[in-house]
Amino acid sequence: MNITGLAHNKIALNRMDGYFPPSYPLNYFRLDIKIVENVMSLLLHEYFPYIACATYDNGLQIQFFDHEDVMTALKPYYTVLEAAFLDAPFHPNSHNLSEIELKNAKHWRPNTNGEVIFNCWD
């Protein structure tokens, strides 16, 4: 299985049935992959070239983490967002958000940058 940027000799990908395209209300693609024995998800924003590595707790809570080999392989193609940034507290004034995005953030009250970038708001 080839994914742009993941044709890498250190990363042995195994095909899984875990492809979820963005559909209301999700604003990102989710691809579940298995690297050796670990299952992880790649989250790709629907409109921007932002990508991140994640796992899910209870199928709902996203836990971001950094996978060095995956991040290195994807950097030429995407803006790879690190877990420290995604888990950092969200401050609306620190970002260049549109008026609609600020309105949504005020309504949904996200706690972290990750909750703003990879969201399921309606």
Side-chain angles (χ1 to χ4, degrees):
M1 177 173 164
N2 287 326
I3 301 171
T4 301
L6 284 181
H8 191 278
N9 62 355
K10 292 183 183 177
I11 303 171
L13 293 175
N14 299 311
R15 187 172 186 83
M16 295 183 61
D17 295 326
Y19 170 72
F20 305 93
S23 61
Y24 180 81
L26 296 179
N27 76 339
Y28 56 90
F29 295 85
R30 174 180 160 191
L31 177 64
D32 293 341
I33 61 173
K34 186 174 183 180
I35 299 178
V36 188
E37 294 300 317
N38 300 314
V39 176
M40 62 180 277
S41 297
L42 294 178
L43 306 183
L44 175 63
H45 194 276
E46 183 175 13
Y47 302 109
F48 300 101
Y50 302 148
I51 198 164
C53 299
T55 59
Y56 283 80
D57 290 340
N58 303 324
L60 299 173
Q61 291 295 109
I62 299 173
Q63 300 297 318
F64 296 104
F65 69 95
D66 299 331
H67 189 289
E68 191 67 31
D69 290 335
V70 171
M71 294 171 72
T72 299
L74 293 173
K75 277 185 181 179
Y77 308 98
Y78 305 100
T79 301
V80 178
L81 302 176
E82 295 181 359
F85 169 75
L86 293 166
D87 291 333
F90 172 67
H91 300 291
N93 297 334
S94 300
H95 303 281
N96 188 17
L97 299 176
S98 70
E99 186 177 328
I100 292 171
E101 291 168 321
L102 288 170
K103 184 177 177 181
N104 279 330
K106 185 176 181 179
H107 175 76
W108 291 104
R109 300 180 189 173
N111 294 313
T112 67
N113 293 323
E115 290 175 5
V116 174
I117 295 168
F118 299 104
N119 69 65
C120 56
W121 303 339
D122 57 3

